[in-house]
Amino acid sequence: MAPIPLQRDTVQRPGTTRAGHAHGPRLASRTSLPGIPLAPSAARRFVRAALAEWTGIGVPAAVGFSDRLADDAVTVTNELVTNAVVHAGTTVDLVLRLEEEGGEEPSAALVLEVTDHHPARPVSGDEPGAGPGPAGTRPGELPDPAEYGRGLQLVATLADSWGITYRTGLKTVWARLPVDDWSAPPAPPDGEALRRGLRAAEILAPTARRAERDDAVWDSRAAPAFLAEASDLLAGQLDEDLVAAIAGQLLVPRLADWCAIWLETEGGGPAAEPRLARVWHSDETGTEPLRAVLEREPLRLPAGVGSGPVSVPVPWPAHPVEENRKRDGEGREAAPAPPPHPGGRDGAALAFRITAGGRALGTVLVGREGVAQVPEAVASLIEDFVRRLGLAVGAARAYTRQATISRILQRGLLPSKVAEIPGVTSALVYEPSDDGVVGGDFYDIFPCPGDRWCFVLGDVQGSGPEAAVVTGLARPWLRLLSREGFGVGEVLDRLNRLLLDDAMEAAEAAALMVAAAGGQQLHDGTQSRFLSLLYGEVVPLPGGGVRCTVASAGHPLPLLLRPDGSVRPAAEPQVLLGVVEDVAYESQGFDLAPGDTLLCVTDGVTERRSGPLMFDDGDGLARVLAGCAGLPAEATAERIRRAVHEFAEQPPDDDVALLVLHAD
């Protein structure tokens, strides 16, 4: 099997037509599905129903529908919708379109388009440890290769072509499947067929052909509109490869026939080779040959070149070489063989340096075929576009640096492994928000002397380096105080005083040092950092179950679930840590009998918003937990996690952390 194409590369097999560029009528059916686990099955039913309806109304191309085509379409739909639900978690828009192409060899194809509303998320999961994985896996845990990772292989194998289109706020993955054994009808359909076709009249439309490029349109109105569109699409993109992909689609074919974008390696020094991040050609069959030519030698501009256009030779011979000439069977010289790719004709090329903040970030090479030079107005417009591209690349790199610092801090703040409590099964869900800054939520489970096990779920006010430093101090302090034998309430008393004394000054100074090394800008260093905390200890009981003692300091209260489905709070609300000095924290004790479940969450769960509503309004969390009676810890944690995500269409904008303890 051929290797899976890169996530952000459009995939096209030679001799095919890309989705959206057919030359016949289009018949389309569309639907929207919520980003929930039931969406793939609903999508499968929708595709089968649409194909059956088209067959029933006598669509000409439907005579080529086969069981194999229907099965392939359902399989591709299932994989793409599942990918969108698992990795984006937003509403999914599904379009099934039938394209018919005329000509000497008529053909038809089914085109599937699956659109989600989270373009910052890639098509498949990021590297392990970068965030939450598929359902059923813990953060940082590699998914089972027997269950995940084969979706794109199936799409690449079954589809004639597939690819990805990025738009503002949207990401569309499309796949094209040819209709089997189809030929255009020899005569117009009879009157009965036309009457049946009236059902589809509202969704039949002629295909818009690609307009010829007209340089005269780049006047005082068109050029600013193009630059405004470019700024809107590039702004806010957090991945430099995604920025390069969008830039290629904007330049080709409106301003150029082909383009290539190299990006300098950050911190690589003058000897580092630039990376060919994107190659785009108006004729998709020419993209890979063009890439092969450009990869042989990266384009390097002289050091003194500014941001203006630089005329450079096209990167291939202007005419086919003699080796391309062939001889027929009688030894006579035949006509020249076609050039190896569409770029083999005469043309002109311009190079532009990508800069931001006085630093060179890369190079853009654009070319036009069949012309001696690129018009001056077009070159000036591309120069303005490249300036915006430089700002977008610079912003993406700044975000990447911030995210790298956050990941390093996050790894140091959380335990590499949580302890297992005898007689208790635990399940943990931790999903940091996807904002590139280290979160304020933290957790821990650890043993203590005296056959005790302690658990912690906390949330520092705010996020970023300041919150990270407080977390980095609070977690080891908690372990130290717990192992010294202090009771639950006493541990919170002492931790509260530690947060209010001179140690906070050290935390603020350390946060400023982190920020100076590349972190985000901080607020006034004298601002105190509040901490909400749920802390408890567990002691196994001789007859089964455990004795649990907990205290909540400004934290969402833990919920106790009995086997009969009843739910009650397991602690009393108390003031946040780090607010006032003279506080005496109290603890509450109870038995966790076999079959009982204790749920602990952060406010990323209870305050998850959908418009004006919050997830815990009207005891929403307790209602969901009541439906988990009889479930083991892992299943309970997964059901709560799924309910939190399904509460709103948009992904959570705060860290989501929850801990489930189930007495065996």
Side-chain angles (χ1 to χ4, degrees), residues 242-464:
L242 177 55
V243 170
I246 294 174
Q249 295 185 49
L250 288 169
L251 288 172
V252 178
R254 281 186 277 189
L255 296 174
D257 292 312
W258 55 266
C259 77
I261 299 175
W262 285 269
L263 294 177
E264 301 286 347
T265 303
E266 188 171 16
E273 289 287 334
R275 177 173 59 89
L276 185 58
R278 190 67 182 174
V279 177
W280 197 264
H281 202 293
S282 58
D283 183 340
E284 291 170 348
T285 61
T287 299
E288 290 308 315
L290 176 59
R291 180 188 297 274
V293 172
L294 296 175
E295 283 179 342
R296 295 171 191 165
E297 184 176 357
L299 176 65
R300 288 186 177 276
L301 295 177
V305 172
S307 60
V310 178
S311 181
V312 297
V314 292
W316 48 73
H319 302 283
V321 295
E322 290 300 322
E323 286 76 7
N324 284 338
R325 292 184 176 272
K326 297 181 179 179
R327 296 184 178 273
D328 58 20
E330 299 180 2
R332 293 173 301 188
E333 187 175 55
H341 51 73
R345 298 188 291 271
D346 292 336
L350 292 176
F352 301 81
R353 189 184 298 281
I354 305 173
T355 60
R359 299 179 56 195
L361 302 180
T363 306
V364 175
L365 178 64
V366 297
R368 287 197 173 189
E369 297 171 351
V371 298
Q373 65 179 16
V374 178
E376 183 177 349
V378 174
S380 177
L381 180 58
I382 297 175
E383 180 181 352
D384 288 340
F385 171 82
V386 173
R387 290 195 186 97
R388 288 160 173 77
L389 174 60
L391 294 174
V393 172
R397 290 194 169 183
Y399 171 84
T400 300
R401 287 192 295 270
Q402 176 69 52
T404 300
I405 293 173
S406 295
R407 284 195 297 269
I408 294 172
L409 286 173
Q410 199 82 63
R411 283 197 297 266
L413 297 175
L414 300 177
S416 57
K417 183 179 180 181
V418 295
E420 295 183 2
I421 304 174
V424 174
T425 303
S426 63
L428 177 71
V429 172
Y430 178 69
E431 297 179 349
S433 62
D434 191 20
D435 58 4
V437 225
V438 63
D441 289 8
F442 65 96
Y443 59 86
D444 202 357
I445 302 177
F446 53 92
C448 289
D451 199 25
R452 297 179 299 127
W453 278 261
C454 297
F455 61 91
V456 178
L457 198 60
D459 184 5
V460 179
Q461 176 228 355
S463 59

Side-chain angles (χ1 to χ4, degrees), residues 56-58 189-201:
I57 64 176
D190 57 20
E192 180 62 26
L194 289 175
R195 283 190 294 275
R196 290 197 306 266
L198 289 177
R199 289 184 59 193

Side-chain angles (χ1 to χ4, degrees), residues 132-156:
T137 62
R138 294 188 178 187
E141 179 180 345
L142 206 59
D144 182 2
E147 297 296 331
Y148 296 94
R150 299 182 299 186
L152 292 183
Q153 288 182 334
L154 286 173
V155 173

